[in-house]
Amino acid sequence: MNANETTALQKMLFFYKFIRTPKAIGSVTPSSRHLANKMVSAVQWNEITSVAELGAGTGVITQAIHRSLKQETKVMLFERDSHLRKQLEQQHPGFTTHSDAKSIHSVVRQQGLEHVDCIISGLPFANFPQQVRNDLMEQIVKSLKPDGLFIAFQYTLQMKKQLSKHFEIEAIQFVMLNVPPAFVYVCRKKQSSVTDHR
């Protein structure tokens, strides 16, 4: 199967998943390579020794991460859908895969780490109830090192207020070449964040 056939298959699978669970998937098509490249370009990969990706999906952003990171960097992928998670395991056997982003802090500790340097997210926060957003945000902040990077794409600016409580928003970049167009938040954890506790 060539690259074009693989991409077409991924798009069909993603659309099928979206029809079944639109609130969990968040989009009718996988993220574009333009969006993936924009997200990973915000990271100083030579300084990163650990990274987590939330909502890895078909692995478009995962592939961009893989191309960018140092060989010894520890990578944790989180994806709820079992079929997509199995694909990620096969495509990236050197990364660990996990089912629930709300358990990120315990996974980080199980990996022998205190914190991760960077978290990259494709989770559709706007589709989640507020309590789920709060739970996820607490886990993200708790899992990130002081001054750690949180990079997330969203289709609206709805999360700006909640993100600004925990992070310094260094940039919001608009990516037109994606379906739908997306905003990329580049955020740095505030030193004073109160959720950084065990």
Side-chain angles (χ1 to χ4, degrees):
M1 186 178 293
N2 62 36
N4 288 337
E5 289 172 334
T6 301
T7 300
L9 187 62
Q10 285 182 335
K11 287 182 176 179
M12 289 191 331
L13 174 63
F14 205 85
F15 182 72
Y16 170 71
K17 299 288 184 183
F18 174 80
I19 294 298
R20 290 187 61 196
T21 54
K23 286 188 178 294
I25 299 296
S27 173
V28 297
T29 186
S31 304
S32 72
R33 61 183 174 83
H34 303 283
L35 177 58
N37 291 337
K38 179 66 73 174
M39 293 184 76
V40 301
S41 68
V43 181
Q44 297 293 324
W45 288 102
N46 61 319
E47 301 173 2
I48 299 296
T49 60
S50 57
V51 60
E53 183 189 359
L54 312 182
T58 59
V60 177
I61 296 172
T62 314
Q63 290 167 13
I65 292 171
H66 201 170
R67 289 192 298 268
S68 304
L69 51 74
K70 297 182 298 185
Q71 189 173 1
E72 65 272 18
T73 301
K74 191 179 289 274
V75 182
M76 290 150 275
L77 306 177
F78 292 80
E79 173 53 51
R80 285 190 66 180
D81 186 274
S82 59
H83 182 77
L84 295 178
R85 195 166 62 249
K86 186 174 182 180
Q87 280 193 335
L88 290 165
E89 289 172 358
Q90 293 170 348
Q91 293 166 1
H92 303 281
F95 301 170
T96 62
T97 56
H98 312 275
S99 62
D100 190 358
K102 287 194 288 184
S103 67
I104 180 174
H105 186 59
S106 62
V107 169
V108 168
R109 300 304 296 273
Q110 287 164 15
Q111 293 295 311
L113 302 171
E114 288 290 328
H115 301 94
V116 291
D117 297 328
C118 176
I119 296 176
I120 294 177
S121 174
L123 293 175
F125 283 99
N127 291 355
F128 300 152
Q130 187 61 52
Q131 187 57 52
V132 173
R133 291 183 218 167
N134 293 346
D135 293 344
L136 283 165
M137 202 56 57
E138 180 178 0
Q139 286 288 308
I140 289 165
V141 172
K142 193 188 294 188
S143 302
L144 263 180
K145 72 173 186 179
D147 283 333
L149 272 180
F150 177 57
I151 300 171
F153 79 83
Q154 297 289 286
Y155 299 119
T156 71
L157 294 174
Q158 181 178 341
M159 285 297 292
K160 185 177 179 181
K161 183 177 179 181
Q162 185 167 4
L163 286 170
S164 64
K165 291 179 181 177
H166 305 290
F167 300 96
E168 299 291 347
I169 300 177
E170 296 186 342
I172 300 176
Q173 301 166 336
F174 186 60
V175 180
M176 179 67 76
L177 296 174
N178 192 69
V179 180
F183 296 94
V184 174
Y185 291 85
V186 180
C187 308
R188 194 169 295 278
K189 181 179 171 180
K190 290 181 179 179
Q191 291 280 4
S192 60
S193 181
V194 296
T195 55
D196 185 21
H197 60 269
R198 302 190 183 106

